RNA sequence: GCCAAGGUGAUGGAAUGGUAGACAUACAGGGCUUAAAACCCUGGGAAGGCCUAAAAACUUUCGUGUGGGUUCGAGUCCCACCCUUGGUACCA
């Protein structure tokens, strides 16, 4: 009788619902597990097969934990505010609330087909007033604690979505929603001071069991950098410029200053900027440029010198020019830098373009330090043929260093450039050359194998151009020694093939034009000359009267949206009292029901047009006042929803302390994407709530499992646009929910992105069907031949579920079923244990088989089977016999067999004897139970 | 450019430093069938050798992106490079 999934699934799902099987409760007798999916935005397109992957994983994990006796919280809800919902509603000419309701109904129906164990009594929806009441409450608390403030700084404005956006909402320089380039726009904005928490968010990453790449992404986003602020006086003025730098050690090489276009000094009229018109013109031009336009210019530097104004380098006391340039960002550091063109890529480009002086103050140190090195002076010479874009290389062969440029020693007192020319002539014969450039000294340590000596050299690199082809063949050194061959190599190829550190470094400096940006030995730096640059930073800062500071890339969170579909920001603007928070007892501030909610595009929210809503009374003075009309971004509701699941119906508080104590933190959080934004915002809010004693844990999500996506069969993203979307409803109808669930877990490692394969799902459907057939072969007595494998299977599935290695868990269960089929029978107790480990993966079919075994209660209430350790330790094991590391056979030995026994047994194998060939045994490696390696 | 993860059959993928390719898909051959589907059985990294009418069996060498290294033994550890994917980008 073939397995008919549709009836059995329906029956099981109805049974679970009627038993209320998955209701979570704070049972003090039990340990808890809080398992959470990133709750979805209920889109109009419905689910595709990629969505449930994470839900299946949490379903398996939570069913497993429930069977192990934990009190499990596994809830689901809807993140339904925000731009996508509003844009969807606009496009379909409906109200967002209606669209959301409809989409949720649709999503729930789709999820229901898959047999998930959510506790739907805790369902939440961020657009529900009883929910956003508390989103607004958190905002007011932040306002109270000075973490929410109004700002008029220029923000990212999306002209298509007609709203301001946070940095995190940008995809490069375009709006991540619609792909429109954003522009800078000045608008009064609510901003949250997330930067106050930067340090704690960075430090507490260490407390988390998260994938390393997510932690790293967060570290990069926070972007902590330690440096110094140093003040440069303006010559002949009281004014000054404070710069931020991470390289105070290079200050002796600071040959000019650069201000961001937004810098206040540029607007200082008393300074006497002679070309102020030109400067203001430049500032205005950069402000109107979109990020895209700036990007299109690449990294081509632009800027204008402030004529008639100069600064004084506090280290050298020299007067240096000041520029305004948009490669310096207004929002980072102090909006001003000291430019050290010799040791910074960007400053170098700028200095080259504007012909500014470049002063080397750090000499590079390369190679591996050697013991007792011999000191020498030397040169590296590059000879370039500009006509053919080729460079002269010497191939020494692999033993002697491979492909190099021209190198050699220089005598004490010998002019370095002359030494270079001499070496070129001696080694290649070329003499008609023009010297174009040279490097600073490079301190290089290496071991010269050809001469068997450790060396530390002071090398100078030279770049020559070839004038004529004339060669003095008779002088060539290689004629005598034949050690190397001379050839002209295309520049790009040389950049790949010449890998020796010193020669490569010279190539990078002189051909590629990269300045030395690393640490090294200070030169031309007054009292610090000769010291290590890295170790001198603090002393330099002290000497020039600067201070050490820490800066972050993370910006404060622009929190206002000029759109309808979001939580109203609960403040009132009063002509007398200014910004007045809505009293807590007046929450929630309801989003008014309106006919028209199109964005205005003027920077005003559509709410501003609703007079009867906007006009209100000031809670303080009782006079006429207006409501704030901006709404919150989509990320607001999702920044704390995991707390509400613990206590979803509490009308007095966000979450009760008692329930929070029981459930927090989230033990396992599962989702993809959102590596930065959602997780950083939620961590920020959580830490704030910790500070005001609403929550008791430092971090919201203890463990995070990152989810790999499912691509369409054609390897592209699943999208309506490509017409390659696969609806889980169709798959379930054809193959059944259990086969679908098992397939998604079997596809590969959970964190891998994999393409869907409808052909492969037939395999897991076959597995379920074969399982179904086996029920007729169950015997009363246990089958001894299956015993060890069964316990191995229980052990592997148990640990694989806990570590999210579902693919190998499925594989192991298939191996077991294959063995059962081979035996033709299985014992009743064995069948019971096997069904129970399979139950989290295939909840429906196992439920039915469980009932048919005569069990009265649900399999999902049964206890998780324990495995017998003793059965897993077999007394005999097959040991591979190797000769010189190559497999020559195998012997079966007792686990505690001695090496002598092993060797004796191995020598009985003809293949082993043949491989030994009568040679003397030098060594025997014996790993009991695994391997015997005879070395001759 | 920088940061992170990864590169294994036709495909998805297994493999505490110890028999590479588990498990599954696709494929090929066979069985069942009037036929097909379903189902069941068998096979398979590559090149060669031996024996043959042919095959099986047997056997040798090579084989986990490339080149080196450590080790009795490397897919796994170390070094350099190449490529793919994700994140990020004038952050001083």
């Amino acid at each position: 009788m073939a397995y008919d999934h549709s009836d059995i699934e329906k029956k099981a799902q109805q049974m679970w619902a009627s038993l209320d099987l998955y209701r979570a409760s704070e049972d003090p007798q039990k340990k808890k597990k809080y398992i959470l999916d990133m709750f979805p935005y209920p889109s109009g397109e419905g689910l595709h097969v990629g969505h449930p992957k994470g839900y299946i994983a949490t379903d398996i994990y939570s069913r497993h934990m429930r069977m192990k006796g934990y009190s499990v919280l596994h809830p689901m809800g809807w993140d339904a505010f925000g731009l996508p919902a509003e844009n969807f509603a606009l496009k379909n000419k409906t109200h967002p609330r209606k669209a959301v309701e409809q989409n949720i109904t649709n999503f729930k129906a789709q999820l229901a087909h898959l047999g998930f164990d959510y506790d739907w009594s805790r369902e939440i929806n961020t657009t529900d007033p009883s929910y956003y009441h508390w989103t607004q409450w958190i905002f007011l608390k932040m306002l109270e604690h000075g973490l929410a403030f109004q700002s008029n700084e220029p923000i990212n404005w999306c002209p298509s979505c007609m709203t301001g956006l946070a940095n995190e909402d940008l995809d490069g320089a375009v709006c991540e929603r619609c792909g429109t380039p954003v522009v800078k726009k000045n608008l009064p904005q609510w901003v949250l001071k997330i930067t106050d928490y930067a340090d704690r968010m960075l430090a507490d990453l260490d407390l988390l069991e998260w994938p390393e790449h997510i932690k790293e992404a967060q570290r990069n986003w926070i972007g902590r950098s330690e440096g110094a602020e140093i003040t440069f006086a303006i010559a002949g003025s009281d004014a000054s410029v404070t710069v931020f730098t991470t390289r105070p050690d290079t200050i002796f090489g600071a040959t000019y200053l650069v201000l961001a276009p937004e810098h206040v000094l540029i607007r200082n009229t008393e300074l006497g900027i002679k070309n102020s018109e030109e400067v203001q013109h430049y500032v205005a031009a950069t402000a109107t440029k979109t990020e895209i336009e700036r990007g299109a210019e690449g990294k081509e530097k632009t800027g204008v010198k402030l004529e008639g104004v100069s600064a004084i380098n506090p280290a050298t006391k020299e007067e240096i020019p000041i520029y305004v340039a948009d490669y310096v960002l207004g929002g980072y550091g102090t909006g001003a830098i000291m430019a050290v063109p010799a040791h910074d890529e960007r400053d170098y480009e700028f200095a080259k373009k504007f012909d500014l002086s470049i002063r080397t103050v750090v000499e590079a140190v390369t190679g591996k330090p050697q013991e007792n090195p011999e000191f020498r002076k030397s040169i590296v010479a590059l000879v370039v043929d500009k006509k053919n874009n080729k460079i002269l290389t010497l191939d020494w062969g692999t033993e002697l260093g491979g492909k190099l440029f021209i190198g050699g020693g220089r005598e004490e007192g010998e002019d370095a450039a002359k030494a270079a020319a001499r070496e070129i002539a001696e080694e290649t014969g070329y003499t008609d050359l023009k010297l174009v450039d040279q490097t600073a000294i490079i301190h290089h340590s290496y071991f010269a194998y050809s001469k068997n000596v450790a060396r530390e050299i002071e090398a100078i690199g030279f770049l020559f151009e070839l004038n004529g082809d004339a060669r003095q063949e008779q002088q060539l050194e290689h004629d005598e020694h034949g050690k190397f061959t001379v050839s002209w190599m295309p520049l790009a190829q040389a950049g790949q093939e010449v890998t020796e550190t010193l020669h490569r470094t010279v190539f990078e400096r002189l051909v590629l034009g990269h300045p030395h940006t690393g640490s090294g030995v200070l030169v031309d730096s007054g009292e610090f000359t000769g010291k290590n640059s890295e170790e001198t930073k603090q002393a330099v800062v002290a000497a020039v009267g600067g201070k050490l500071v820490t800066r972050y890339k993370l910006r404060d969170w622009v929190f206002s949206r000029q759109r309808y579909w979001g939580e109203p920001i609960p403040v009132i603007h009063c002509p007398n009292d200014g910004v007045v928070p809505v009293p807590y007892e007046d929450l929630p501030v309801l989003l008014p029901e309106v006919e028209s909610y199109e964005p205005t595009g003027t920077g005003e929210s559509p709410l501003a047009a609703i007079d009867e809503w906007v006009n209100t009374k000031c809670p303080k003075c009782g006079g006429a006042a207006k409501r704030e009309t901006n709404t919150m971004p989509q990320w607001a509701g999702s920044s704390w929803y995991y707390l509400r699941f613990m206590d979803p119906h509490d009308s007095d508080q966000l979450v009760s302390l008692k329930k929070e104590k029981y459930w927090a933190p989230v033990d396992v959080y599962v989702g993809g994407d959102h590596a930065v934004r959602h997780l950083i915002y939620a961590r920020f809010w959580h830490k704030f709530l910790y500070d005001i004693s609403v929550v008791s844990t430092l971090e919201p999500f203890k463990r995070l499992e990152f989810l790999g996506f499912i691509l369409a069969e054609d390897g592209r993203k699943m999208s309506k646009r490509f017409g390659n979307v696969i609806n889980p409803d169709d798959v379930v109808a054809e193959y059944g929910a259990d086969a679908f669930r098992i397939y998604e877990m079997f596809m590969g490692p959970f964190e891998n992105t994999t393409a869907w394969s409808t052909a492969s799902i037939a395999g897991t459907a076959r597995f379920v069907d074969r399982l179904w057939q086996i029920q007729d072969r169950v015997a009363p007595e246990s089958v001894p031949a299956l015993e060890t494998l069964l316990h191995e299977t229980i052990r592997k599935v148990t640990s694989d579920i806990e570590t999210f290695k579902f693919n190998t868990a499925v594989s192991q269960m298939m191996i077991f079923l294959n063995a059962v089929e081979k035996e033709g029978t299985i014992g009743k107790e064995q069948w019971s244990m096997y069904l129970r480990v399979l139950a989290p993966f295939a909840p429906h079919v196992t439920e039915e088989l469980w009932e048919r075994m005569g069990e009265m209660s649900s399999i999902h209430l049964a206890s998780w089977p324990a495995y017998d350790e003793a059965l897993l330790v077999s007394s005999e094991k097959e040991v591979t016999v190797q000769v010189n590391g190559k497999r020559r056979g195998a012997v079966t030995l007792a686990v505690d067999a001695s090496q002598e026994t092993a060797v004796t047994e191995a020598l009985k194998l003809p293949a082993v004897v043949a491989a030994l060939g009568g040679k003397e045994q030098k060594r025997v490696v014996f790993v009991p139970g695994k391997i015997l390696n005879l070395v001759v």
Side-chain angles (χ1 to χ4, degrees):
Chain A
M1 179 182 46
Y3 173 59
D4 173 13
H5 57 82
S6 67
D7 285 353
I8 287 166
E9 284 171 8
K10 223 172 279 162
K11 179 180 158 193
Q13 286 165 13
Q14 277 166 8
M15 169 188 171
W16 302 332
S18 68
L19 289 177
D20 208 5
L21 209 59
Y22 307 124
R23 186 177 287 264
S25 65
E26 296 84 35
D27 183 341
Q29 306 301 314
K30 287 183 178 177
K31 284 204 256 178
K32 66 91 189 180
K33 285 280 176 191
Y34 183 2
I35 299 143
L36 184 64
D37 298 283
M38 287 185 185
F39 70 159
Y41 154 68
S43 83
E45 307 210 350
L47 290 179
H48 64 63
V49 291
H51 291 110
K53 185 175 165 185
Y55 309 154
I56 296 168
T58 53
D59 192 70
I60 290 169
Y61 189 86
S62 52
R63 284 176 190 276
H64 167 72
M65 286 303 166
R66 202 176 286 113
M67 288 171 83
K68 282 188 105 176
Y70 286 88
S71 180
V72 168
L73 174 55
H74 186 214
M76 183 45 86
W78 315 102
D79 185 18
F81 263 139
L83 273 176
E86 186 172 342
N87 287 343
F88 175 85
L90 279 169
K91 202 171 138 199
N92 292 280
K93 303 211 173 358
T94 172
H95 191 279
R97 181 172 308 284
K98 283 221 180 81
V100 161
E101 274 169 19
Q102 208 170 3
N103 293 347
I104 288 177
T105 308
N106 184 30
F107 258 64
K108 274 181 89 165
Q110 286 192 288
L111 290 179
H113 296 150
L114 296 167
F116 292 135
D117 70 345
Y118 293 117
D119 176 358
W120 286 109
S121 74
R122 292 173 184 256
E123 176 180 2
I124 57 177
N125 176 340
T126 54
T127 67
D128 191 331
S130 69
Y131 180 87
Y132 70 70
H133 177 149
W134 300 104
T135 313
Q136 292 175 336
W137 183 90
I138 295 170
F139 179 88
L140 286 184
K141 281 288 170 191
M142 288 198 160
L143 188 62
E144 204 177 300
H145 286 79
L147 286 168
F149 63 97
Q150 277 187 296
S151 154
N152 218 349
E153 298 278 302
I155 52 137
N156 308 303
W157 173 264
C158 172
S160 166
C161 295
M162 293 190 252
T163 183
L165 297 170
N167 273 355
E168 288 81 356
D169 296 326
L170 305 183
D171 192 354
V174 305
C175 168
E176 61 138 9
R177 288 285 171 216
C178 63
T180 309
V182 296
V183 293
K184 292 281 171 195
K185 185 162 180 167
N186 275 33
L187 270 185
Q189 293 292 319
W190 282 97
V191 177
L192 301 185
K193 276 175 105 170
I194 190 170
T195 49
D196 277 11
Y197 285 79
D199 241 345
R200 282 166 64 189
M201 288 201 285
L202 194 64
D204 290 351
L205 283 173
D206 294 341
L207 306 175
L208 301 174
E209 298 165 36
W210 288 18
E212 197 46 46
H213 73 275
I214 309 251
K215 288 196 197 181
E216 199 56 29
Q218 297 236 328
R219 283 189 199 108
N220 291 340
W221 195 266
I222 295 168
R224 180 189 162 101
S225 76
E226 292 185 18
E229 284 183 5
I230 298 172
T231 301
F232 285 60
I234 303 291
S237 156
D238 295 339
S240 65
V241 177
T242 298
V243 303
F244 174 69
T245 178
T246 55
R247 294 297 303 275
D249 48 306
T250 62
I251 192 167
F252 286 86
T255 51
Y256 61 97
L257 295 187
V258 188
L259 309 180
E262 295 88 351
H263 199 278
V264 284
L265 198 75
I266 294 163
R267 279 174 274 162
N268 185 336
T269 48
E270 288 161 27
L271 218 52
I273 302 172
K274 286 189 185 148
N275 60 338
S276 77
E277 206 167 302
E278 189 192 355
V279 169
Q280 294 310 328
H281 185 261
Y282 177 79
V283 170
T286 52
T288 56
K289 265 191 258 180
T290 65
E291 295 284 336
I292 282 284
E293 283 164 341
R294 280 168 81 157
E297 292 162 6
K299 293 190 177 176
E300 183 68 24
K301 301 285 182 289
T302 61
V304 175
K305 186 178 179 186
L306 306 187
E307 298 291 351
V309 187
S310 60
I312 294 170
N313 181 324
T316 62
K317 314 293 182 205
E318 284 170 352
E319 278 194 30
I320 56 175
I322 305 176
Y323 282 77
V324 54
D326 65 1
Y327 83 91
V328 172
L329 307 176
Y332 183 73
T334 60
I337 62 153
M338 63 176 206
V340 185
H343 304 294
D344 182 276
E345 196 88 40
R346 297 145 301 176
D347 298 344
Y348 180 78
E349 276 175 44
F350 191 81
K352 279 275 176 193
K353 182 160 176 186
F354 289 86
D355 202 21
L356 296 157
S357 73
I358 299 172
R359 184 185 300 159
T360 297
V361 291
V362 183
E363 289 174 352
V365 178
T366 62
K368 287 193 181 110
Q370 301 287 329
E371 288 194 17
N372 305 318
E374 184 183 281
F375 288 91
R376 290 191 110 202
K377 293 194 170 175
S378 69
I379 60 95
V380 173
L382 314 187
V383 181
V384 171
D385 175 4
K386 278 213 129 176
K387 270 186 293 205
N388 300 310
N389 219 22
K390 288 187 171 171
I391 189 162
L392 205 51
T393 54
L394 309 182
D395 191 341
W396 292 81
T398 36
E399 305 93 69
L400 286 173
K403 297 187 176 76
L404 297 174
F405 304 112
I406 297 140
R410 85 186 121 100
E411 307 303 323
E412 202 56 50
E414 184 184 17
D415 178 82
K418 289 213 174 101
R422 173 175 55 74
E423 288 289 346
I424 296 167
E426 282 175 9
E427 298 192 350
T428 71
Y430 289 98
T431 53
D432 191 3
L433 305 167
K434 185 174 76 178
L435 175 62
V436 273
D437 203 357
Q438 72 177 78
T439 68
I441 288 171
I442 300 166
H443 303 265
H444 183 65
S445 304
Y446 69 108
F447 194 85
Y449 289 97
S450 56
K451 305 213 164 89
N452 199 32
V453 63
R455 284 201 175 137
E456 190 173 322
I457 58 177
E458 282 187 7
I460 301 178
F462 291 92
L463 178 64
F464 290 92
E465 276 174 21
L466 188 69
N467 282 332
D469 286 337
R471 288 175 82 176
Q472 300 171 313
E473 292 285 350
Q474 63 276 24
Q475 282 193 18
L476 297 192
E477 209 175 79
H478 78 272
D479 283 350
E480 301 163 35
H481 300 90
K483 279 187 190 159
F484 54 82
T485 51
V486 178
S487 64
W488 288 98
M489 189 183 278
L491 278 173
Q493 193 189 343
Q496 296 259 316
E497 293 195 7
V498 178
T499 52
E500 192 280 327
T501 316
L502 176 62
H503 287 236
R504 214 192 154 74
T505 305
V506 173
F507 183 85
E508 280 173 11
R509 294 279 187 288
L510 297 178
V511 176
L512 304 179
H514 296 311
H516 172 55
T517 55
S519 58
V521 178
L522 291 175
V523 290
D524 209 0
S525 298
E527 57 183 299
F528 302 104
T529 297
K531 298 209 164 123
N532 176 299
S533 63
E534 204 53 44
E535 294 160 6
T536 317
K537 286 184 177 181
Q538 283 195 29
V540 174
V541 173
V544 298
K547 65 172 187 212
L548 296 170
V549 294
T550 303
R551 289 283 176 180
Y552 302 91
K553 257 196 286 189
L554 182 72
R555 307 298 168 79
D556 281 329
W557 179 7
V558 174
F559 198 67
S560 318
R561 297 292 178 274
Q562 292 71 44
R563 295 290 296 249
Y564 169 73
W565 193 236
E567 301 87 344
I569 291 176
V571 301
I572 290 166
H573 299 273
C574 168
N576 300 321
D577 298 305
V579 170
V580 181
V582 171
Y584 288 103
E585 60 270 22
D586 291 351
L587 293 182
V589 176
L590 292 173
L591 189 60
E593 292 295 328
V594 290
E595 292 283 309
S596 162
Y597 54 90
E598 276 86 357
T600 62
T602 59
E604 267 204 315
S605 158
L607 294 177
I610 310 167
D611 290 339
E612 62 270 33
W613 185 81
V614 171
N615 293 316
T616 186
K617 277 190 205 144
C618 171
K620 258 191 190 164
C621 66
K626 286 182 186 293
R627 286 189 189 280
E628 167 70 48
T629 57
N630 282 333
T631 52
M632 300 188 197
Q634 182 179 14
W635 305 106
S638 60
S639 293
W640 71 280
Y641 74 109
Y642 57 93
L643 294 171
R644 193 62 176 171
F645 279 134
M646 300 172 189
D647 190 10
H649 308 297
D650 197 324
S651 53
D652 301 327
Q653 55 200 332
L654 187 157
V655 58
S656 90
L657 261 179
K658 202 175 139 207
K659 290 185 174 172
E660 189 274 340
K661 270 247 180 316
Y662 185 80
W663 291 115
V666 174
D667 292 282
V668 187
Y669 194 28
V670 176
D673 219 349
H674 308 316
V676 170
R677 292 177 293 182
H678 160 60
L679 291 172
I680 222 156
Y681 291 146
R683 293 181 64 219
F684 162 44
W685 279 32
H686 189 90
K687 286 187 181 302
F688 169 69
L689 293 172
Y690 175 83
D691 289 347
I692 61 168
S693 305
V694 174
V695 300
S696 61
T697 62
L698 280 171
E699 286 284 339
F701 315 117
K702 188 167 152 218
R703 172 174 162 197
L704 178 72
E705 286 295 334
F706 195 75
L707 162 73
F709 301 103
I710 294 178
L711 301 172
E713 211 140 3
D714 57 14
R716 293 187 293 181
K717 245 175 123 166
M718 228 174 258
S719 156
K720 229 179 186 172
R721 192 150 46 100
F722 302 135
N724 57 11
V725 175
I726 297 180
N727 186 327
D729 295 357
D730 301 337
V731 181
V732 168
E734 184 162 1
Y735 299 97
D738 290 333
F740 177 87
R741 294 166 56 110
I742 294 171
Y743 171 64
E744 292 219 342
M745 293 300 99
F746 187 54
M747 286 176 87
F750 186 64
E751 68 279 7
N752 274 23
T753 294
T754 323
W756 178 263
S757 158
T758 299
S760 297
I761 198 174
T764 53
R766 236 170 263 162
F767 170 72
V768 173
D769 201 52
R770 279 160 46 207
L771 178 82
W772 183 254
Q773 306 302 331
I774 286 290
Q775 64 175 314
D776 301 327
R777 318 296 290 270
V778 177
E781 295 299 322
S782 282
V783 179
L786 292 172
E787 207 57 7
T788 302
L789 185 60
L790 174 66
H791 284 261
E792 244 170 54
T793 300
I794 297 169
R795 178 177 63 175
K796 179 136 184 72
V797 174
T798 306
S799 75
D800 281 353
I801 289 175
E802 280 160 24
T803 51
F804 272 56
K805 289 181 185 163
F806 304 107
N807 57 329
T808 49
V810 171
S811 158
Q812 183 67 34
M813 290 188 288
M814 287 175 168
I815 290 171
F816 183 76
L817 187 66
N818 291 348
V820 173
E821 284 180 331
K822 209 166 182 183
E823 289 298 323
T825 181
I826 179 172
K828 187 172 180 192
E829 183 52 31
Q830 292 172 323
W831 180 238
S832 156
M833 292 210 259
Y834 180 60
L835 286 181
R836 278 179 280 157
V837 294
L838 186 53
F841 293 82
H844 309 90
V845 67
T846 51
E847 185 76 287
E848 179 69 18
L849 292 170
W850 186 251
E851 188 191 303
R852 289 175 182 222
M853 275 183 74
E855 294 288 346
M856 303 307 284
S857 129
S858 168
I859 191 168
H860 303 293
L861 296 175
S863 68
W864 189 255
Y867 57 89
D868 185 349
E869 198 81 53
L871 277 171
L872 298 178
V873 187
S874 57
S875 56
E876 287 197 328
K877 276 210 162 158
E878 192 177 61
V879 173
T880 299
V881 181
Q882 296 181 334
V883 176
N884 282 345
K886 291 224 165 86
R887 181 174 197 266
R888 299 295 169 183
V891 288
T892 302
L893 295 172
V895 176
D896 55 359
S898 69
Q899 181 170 312
E900 288 78 50
T901 320
V903 174
T904 312
E905 287 300 313
L907 289 176
K908 288 182 187 163
L909 297 175
V912 173
V913 177
L916 287 172
K919 280 177 242 162
E920 189 196 348
Q921 283 181 31
K922 276 195 209 142
R923 190 167 164 185
V924 177
V925 179
F926 180 58
V927 183
K930 287 217 168 124
I931 204 144
L932 174 71
N933 191 4
L934 304 171
V935 186
V936 296

